[in-house]
Amino acid sequence: MPVDIEQRASYEYGDSLLHLCDARIKITLLMVYLITTALLPVGAWAVYLLMGGVLLIVAVLSEIPASLLLKRALLLEVPILLVLIPQIFLKTGNFIEINPWSGFAFSLSLTRLERVASLLVRSWLSLQFAVIIMSATRFEDVLAGLRACGLPRMLTAIFGLMWRYLYVLLDEMHNLTQARRARSSTLQGSFKQAGGSVWWRAQVTGGMAGMLMLRSLDRSQRIYQAMQARGYDGEIRSEAAAIPLTKAQYFSIAAFILAGLLMVLLANGMAA
Amino acid sequence: MISINDLSFAYDDGRMAIEHVSLDFKPGEKAALVGPNGAGKTTLLLHLNGILRGQGSVVVGEQAVDDRTIKAIRARVGLVFQSPDDQLFSSSVFDDVAYGLVYQGEEKIVIREKVAQALEVVGMPDSQARSPYHLSLGEKKRVALATVLCMQPEVLALDEPTAGLDPRGRRGILNLLADLDQTLIVATHDLEMVREIFPRVIIMDAGRVVYDGETQAALADRALLEAHGLIG
Amino acid sequence: MKAPVPMHIPDGFLSVAVSGILWVVSLIFIFIALKKAGKEIDESRLPLVGVLAAAIFAGQMLNFAVAGGTSGHLLGAALAVLLVGPWPAVLVMTSVVTVQALVFQDGGVLTLGANLFNMAIVGVAVAYFVSDLFKHWFGDKRWATLLTAFAAGWFSIFIAALAASLELAFSGTSPANIAIPAMGGIHALIGIGEGLITLGAVSLIMSSKPQLLEKKAEEKVGSSFVWISGLVLTVVLLIISPLASSKPDGLEWVAEKLGFLIMAQDASYHIIPDYVLPGIQNEALATIMAGAVGVVIVMALVLLLTRRKTSQTAKH
Ligand SMILES: Nc1ncnc2c1ncn2[C@@H]1O[C@H](COP(=O)(O)OP(=O)(O)O)[C@@H](O)[C@H]1O
Ligand SMILES: [Mg+2]
C-alpha cells in the first residue's frame, strides 16, 4: 500500500470553526471543490490561483498547524505521475526541438507540458483540500454524514467495523513484521536481502498474510457471537438520528455550488 | 437459576469440546470454572445464552434455551468474552455499552442513563467518547463488563476476567466482582481469585466435569489440582 | 517500508464524465452485492466483511523484495475471493478502497468510483473468473490450488491496471500508447508479487484450515453474474488495450466525440505523435518503442523512489 498510515493518520484534534462545522456541510463543500477543480480547463492559471486561495482560507479556518499540513502537502501519488511525464516529449501541438549536443535531439511539447502542469496543480489542490477537510472531521462524523447523505445502513456498519479493527489488526501486523525482522538479518538500506530466494520470501510473506486472514476470520466469528450475546438479531439499529439541516446550512450549500459554477464559467471565459 | 442437563457439543471438525456436562446454579451463587486450556470452559459458557447449542438441555429460570426464548434468555444471561477486542466492536465506548440496550428497544434517555450508570460502576465514568482501541487492557476489560452490566442481567458469565492484567488492574476487577450480587459463573486460571471470591468451584478437563464442590476442599487437594494441570 | 502502487487514481486525473460513469457502474454493482450479501448470505457476514477488510488493509503493509528494489505486495482482491466468495469480496474491497480514499487520501474522492471499479469490481470479477476457470481445468490437487491462487492474483492486478490506464487515456490525461504499456508493464511485475503472496497465504490456509477454501455449491449459483462480468472484462480489456495503445489518436478522437475531453486548446490530434528516437521511421516500431521507453522511465523512477524510501525507513 502506498501510504504511510502514521504519516497521514487523519484526524487532528481541535475545536476550530472547521472542526465544529456539520459533517454533511463539510462533505458537500469537499465534493463541490473537487468537482469544480476537475471541471477547470487546462491552463486557467488565474482560476487555479483563486482555488488555491480558497484552500488557504479553509486551511486557516481549520487551525491545524501549518507544519503538519505542509508535511502532508508533499504527499502526491508519485508513481501515477510518472505515467504522465513521458508525453511531454511527444511531437504534439506546439513543440520545440532541443539539441543539447550534436547527434542527439529531443522534442519538448509545450502544449503537453502545459497540460501536464495543469493536471498536477489541480490534482494537488484536490488532494490538499481533502486532507484538510478529513483532518478536521472525525471518521465517526464522516460516517454519520455519509449515512445522512444516503449511504446504506449495511455499508455504514461495515465501514465502522472496519475502522475499529483496522488499528487492532495493524498492531498485530506490526508484531508479525517485527518478529520476522528480529529473525532475519536484512542489510539495512540495501536491496540485498539476506535469507533465501524470492520464492522463499514470498512464501514467508504470504504465510504472514494467511495468518492475518485466519486470525481475522476467527475474530469476526467471535465478534459476531459477542453481538448475538447482546441481542443482535440481524437488523442493524443505531440510536444516532440525523438532525435536519437549518436554513442557513442549506443556504451555504447553495452558495458553495454557485461559487463553484462561477469558477468554472470564469475559467472557460478566460480560455475562450 | 440455571440448570444444565447432559450437555455435549462438538465443533465443525468433529472433536467433542464438552461431553455429558450436568450442572445446577442457584440464584446469587458465585461459582468458578477452572481447568487447563482446551478443557471446554469457553465452550460451556457459550451455551449459557444459546450462542452455541449442543445436545442436551440448558434451562434458565423456567425457560429452556430454544428459538422462541432466545431473546429473553440473552437479556437474562450476560456474557463477557475473554478478549475485550472481540467484545468491544464499536468506535466509541458509549456506542459499545449502548449496543445491547439499543437492541432491547430502550428509549434514548434511558439508554444514556443506563450507560452512564454502568460505566460508573466499573469505574470508567469519563470514558464515553473515547475509542475502545485506545484504552489499556484493564480499562477495556472494565468497559467490556459494563457492556453487559448495563443490561442488568440476572446471571453474569465471564470468561477469564483477570487474564493478562497487571496486579492493580486485577485487584480492580476482583473488587468489582466481589461487590456484584448477580449469579456469577466465571471461567478462570486465577486460583487466588477463586479462593477469595468463589465458594464453589467446578473443575473441567477434556470436556468433562471432574470436580464440583467446595472451593476450600478442592484447593487443599494437591493431588487433584496437579492431576488436572492447575498447579505447575 | 512500503512500495508505491500506481493503482489508486488521485483526483484531477480523470475527466468528470469518466468519473461519473464509473461511479454509476460501481454503485450498481455494490448495490447488487449488498442485496446478495443481505439475502443469500447469513448475517454473520457483517463482522466478517468488516474485519476481513481491515485485515486486507493491514496485509497491504506486507511486502517483500522481488528484484532490483521492486517489491511485491498485496491488493487482496484475489485472496478475498478465495476466502469468502465473490459478492462478499466486492464488499470487502469496497470497504478497503473507500476508507483508503476517505481517510488516507489514497486515491481521490471524485475518482473513487473509478478506483472502486478497478479494484473492487474488475479485480474481484477477474479473480473469480480466473480461479473458477483454473479450478475447472486443473481440479483441486494441491499444486492446482496453488497455481489457481497465483493466477487469480496476477490477473486481478494486471487487468485492473489495464482498466485504470484506459480510464486515464479516455480522460486525456495520458496518451494510450504511454499509459497502457507503462501501467500494464509495471503491474505485470507487481502482479507477480500479488500472485506469490496470494499463493503463500493459500498454502498456509490449506495446511491449517482447508475447509475455508472449499467453496459451497450454492455460492456459485448466485455468482454467475460476477463470473460473466469477469469473463467479459478480461477478454475485452485484453483486446482493447493493445488496439488502443497502437492507435492512441483513435481513442482520443472517440473520447472527444463522446464529450469526455474538455480541452479547448489542444487541437493537435491530427499530428501523429511519435518519439524522437533517432533512426526509427517505422510507425509501428516507434509506437512499441514509445511504450518501452515509458515503461523504462517509470520503472527507473519507481526504483529510485523505493530505494530512497527504503533507506529512510531503515534509519528509523
Ligand atoms: N471455533 C472452534 N473451532 C474448532 N474447535 C474449537 C473452537 N473453539 C474451541 N475449540 C476446541 O474445543 C476445545 C475446548 O475449547 P475451549 O472451550 O476454548 O477451552 P477453554 O476455554 O477451557 O480453554 C479445545 O479442544 C479447542 O481446541
Ligand atoms: Mg477459553
Side-chain angles (χ1 to χ4, degrees), chain A residues 221, chain B residues 11-13 15 17 35-44 159-160:
Chain A
Q221 199 185 353
Chain B
Y11 282 102
D12 289 343
D13 54 9
R15 278 192 314 142
N37 287 328
K41 305 181 293 292
T42 301
T43 308
L44 181 60
D159 201 353
E160 307 202 17

Side-chain angles (χ1 to χ4, degrees), chain C residues 17 50-51 152 220 242 246:
Chain C
V51 177
K220 275 191 182 162
S246 65

Side-chain angles (χ1 to χ4, degrees), chain C:
Chain C
M1 181 180 147
K2 279 132 258 162
V5 185
M7 186 80 89
H8 296 74
I9 303 174
D11 277 322
F13 277 60
L14 293 183
S15 67
V16 173
V18 171
S19 311
I21 289 171
L22 291 176
W23 257 118
V24 173
V25 174
S26 299
L27 286 181
I28 291 173
F29 252 89
I30 294 165
F31 182 75
I32 301 174
L34 280 172
K35 280 266 161 284
K36 295 267 178 190
K39 217 182 285 163
E40 254 172 43
I41 309 161
D42 59 298
E43 70 252 28
S44 69
R45 292 285 165 136
L46 183 76
L48 176 66
V49 169
V51 177
L52 201 58
I56 282 185
F57 201 138
Q60 292 183 342
M61 301 270 161
L62 282 170
N63 64 2
F64 69 99
V66 178
T70 348
S71 54
H73 64 102
L74 197 66
L75 173 69
L79 197 51
V81 168
L82 294 173
L83 284 179
V84 294
W87 285 118
V90 167
L91 292 181
V92 167
M93 292 310 291
T94 298
S95 316
V96 172
V97 174
T98 307
V99 171
Q100 280 173 341
L102 286 183
V103 184
F104 301 105
Q105 281 81 51
D106 193 13
V109 176
L110 204 58
T111 52
L112 177 58
N115 285 327
L116 284 172
F117 179 75
N118 299 338
M119 287 178 271
I121 293 164
V122 176
V124 166
V126 168
Y128 180 56
F129 163 69
V130 169
S131 63
D132 198 65
L133 204 62
F134 269 59
K135 208 169 283 170
H136 190 74
W137 283 342
F138 301 115
D140 45 13
K141 288 175 280 297
R142 187 180 161 85
W143 65 267
T145 309
L146 293 179
L147 180 69
T148 303
F150 179 86
W154 189 84
F155 273 99
S156 67
I157 293 280
F158 184 67
I159 305 285
L162 291 185
S165 55
L166 273 173
E167 289 151 20
L168 291 170
F170 251 115
S171 300
T173 299
S174 176
N177 62 341
I178 292 172
I180 292 170
M183 287 285 272
I186 195 168
H187 282 90
L189 265 181
I190 290 177
I192 295 177
E194 175 84 10
L196 287 176
I197 298 184
T198 311
L199 183 156
V202 165
S203 144
L204 180 122
I205 292 165
M206 249 199 314
S207 52
S208 46
K209 242 189 178 178
Q211 63 267 37
L212 279 177
L213 296 167
E214 293 153 13
K215 222 168 276 154
K216 292 153 212 129
E218 77 262 26
E219 225 171 314
K220 275 191 182 162
V221 179
S223 308
S224 51
F225 181 55
V226 186
W227 197 92
I228 291 167
S229 308
L231 168 70
V232 171
L233 285 166
T234 309
V235 171
V236 168
L237 285 168
L238 279 177
I239 290 173
I240 283 189
S241 301
L243 280 181
S245 53
S246 65
K247 290 249 180 293
D249 297 345
L251 194 67
E252 284 194 357
W253 184 81
V254 171
E256 191 195 22
K257 285 292 156 206
L258 291 173
F260 281 17
L261 294 181
I262 308 165
M263 281 181 299
Q265 306 99 316
D266 205 347
S268 52
Y269 306 130
H270 54 281
I271 298 169
I272 295 170
D274 61 352
Y275 279 88
V276 183
L277 290 167
I280 297 177
Q281 300 300 326
N282 183 305
E283 196 189 315
L285 196 60
T287 304
I288 294 168
M289 286 302 289
V293 169
V295 173
V296 168
I297 293 177
V298 170
M299 287 295 298
L301 286 170
V302 167
L303 289 193
L304 268 174
L305 286 163
T306 17
R307 164 162 264 155
R308 213 197 63 218
K309 274 205 173 156
T310 318
S311 49
Q312 270 177 358
T313 340
K315 278 182 207 126
H316 286 271

Side-chain angles (χ1 to χ4, degrees), chain A residues 20-87:
Chain A
L20 297 179
C21 179
D22 188 293
R24 288 166 292 181
I25 301 281
K26 284 187 273 193
I27 291 170
T28 353
L29 178 62
L30 175 60
M31 290 323 285
V32 171
Y33 190 92
L34 295 180
I35 294 175
T36 305
T37 311
L39 282 173
L40 294 179
V42 171
W45 299 104
V47 181
Y48 297 171
L49 209 64
L50 269 176
M51 293 302 276
V54 175
L55 181 72
L56 196 66
I57 293 171
V58 175
V60 170
L61 281 181
S62 76
E63 292 175 21
I64 295 168
S67 59
L68 200 90
L69 288 180
L70 282 179
K71 209 167 84 190
R72 290 183 186 169
L74 297 176
L75 303 162
L76 258 182
E77 312 291 323
V78 179
I80 207 160
L81 301 185
L82 304 178
V83 177
L84 291 181
I85 305 297
Q87 62 182 300

